[in-house]
Amino acid sequence: KAGVTQTPRYLIKTRGQQVTLSCSPISGHRSVSWYQQTPGQGLQFLFEYFSETQRNKGNFPGRFSGRQFSNSRSEMNVSTLELGDSALYLCASSLEGPSTDTQYFGPGTRLTVL
Amino acid sequence: GEDVEQSLFLSVREGDSSVINCTYTDSSSTYLYWYKQEPGAGLQLLTYIFSNMDMKQDQRLTVLLNKKDKHLSLRIADTQTGDSAIYFCAVGSNDYKLSFGAGTTVTVRA
């Protein structure tokens, strides 16, 4: 089975722009989670989706949003980018959710905001 | 929310055993994980343990769980240079997310 894939792998944007990141889960997985990784804050939970429904959202401003499609693929969007949004964005998938199944991560999208 | 703590650095000689420790606060955790991250890469699932288990062994990896003390450890036997990486302890809870420790940087010296 193919693993979790994320596109693009690298992005460079300027402050004020917006960005959309994409995640394709492992085939058959219906839960997709997003995490932000920075040197200062470590790994922080952004949101989790299951069958197109957001079940939990982390403590991030409303500029961070996401969605999940009927094929379980997910996108996250960050609007009005700030320098502090520079990070590695990781997507993870599992069958039913991180509380009940093993969660597998993709390679991440590295976002640099100039 | 869940607090997960782990030591930041570990230096070990090649061929020795490495032990990485982790403590957590949420007693309702069902899955507890160890992930490995190499430079520039995502998180690789190393192993996991259910909360109703005390120990799990998987080749060179041994996970010990002390639920009473909320303590999790990962032992890597016969540590190799390829084991140099950052290791994250992660705890799954009932609110559909994982909480991560800050990561332990393991350096294997010859």
Side-chain angles (χ1 to χ4, degrees):
Chain A
K1 262 189 192 176
V4 179
T5 57
Q6 293 186 244
T7 56
R9 292 292 312 279
Y10 302 91
L11 264 178
I12 300 175
K13 293 285 187 179
T14 55
R15 277 181 299 174
Q17 288 187 307
Q18 74 163 18
V19 68
T20 299
L21 312 182
S22 181
C23 172
S24 292
I26 292 171
S27 177
H29 285 193
R30 294 192 292 166
S31 167
V32 174
S33 302
W34 290 89
Y35 294 81
Q36 182 197 63
Q37 186 179 27
T38 59
Q41 299 296 317
L43 280 151
Q44 293 191 292
F45 170 76
L46 279 158
F47 17 68
E48 191 263 359
Y49 289 90
F50 179 81
S51 292
E52 302 179 69
T53 299
Q54 185 184 88
R55 295 194 292 191
N56 196 2
K57 185 178 186 335
N59 190 23
F60 279 83
R63 300 184 298 106
F64 290 81
S65 63
R67 59 178 175 168
Q68 186 181 34
F69 302 95
S70 57
N71 62 357
S72 294
R73 192 177 69 83
S74 177
E75 288 181 348
M76 67 163 281
N77 184 277
V78 188
S79 62
T80 319
L81 283 165
E82 300 177 1
L83 294 179
D85 298 333
S86 293
L88 181 66
Y89 290 88
L90 292 162
C91 168
S93 78
S94 61
L95 284 168
E96 301 286 329
S99 310
T100 54
D101 298 294
T102 48
Q103 196 166 35
Y104 297 91
F105 282 79
T109 294
R110 181 157 308 275
L111 171 65
T112 302
V113 182
L114 303 175
Chain B
E2 173 77 78
D3 279 334
V4 181
E5 294 193 1
Q6 48 183 131
S7 52
L8 294 182
F9 301 99
L10 176 67
S11 178
V12 62
R13 189 173 299 178
E14 191 176 10
D16 287 351
S17 292
S18 309
V19 179
I20 308 168
N21 295 299
C22 170
T23 58
Y24 59 98
T25 56
D26 187 354
S27 59
S28 70
S29 305
T30 49
Y31 272 65
L32 301 102
Y33 301 85
W34 285 101
Y35 288 93
K36 176 184 179 182
Q37 187 175 39
E38 297 183 79
L43 298 179
Q44 174 194 349
L45 177 64
L46 274 182
T47 186
Y48 61 91
I49 189 168
F50 298 115
S51 59
N52 62 357
M53 297 169 66
D54 297 325
M55 185 183 87
K56 180 180 179 182
Q57 190 149 359
D58 185 359
Q59 299 183 328
R60 293 191 298 123
L61 305 177
T62 302
V63 180
L64 294 178
L65 174 61
N66 183 325
K67 270 194 84 171
K68 176 175 167 292
D69 294 339
K70 299 189 183 67
H71 182 267
L72 182 71
S73 68
L74 173 70
R75 177 177 179 268
I76 306 172
D78 187 26
T79 310
Q80 303 297 309
T81 54
D83 296 324
S84 291
I86 303 176
Y87 291 80
F88 290 93
C89 166
V91 177
S93 53
N94 293 332
D95 56 356
Y96 309 112
K97 70 176 188 181
L98 295 185
S99 296
F100 286 85
T104 300
T105 299
V106 174
T107 303
V108 182
R109 58 188 195 277

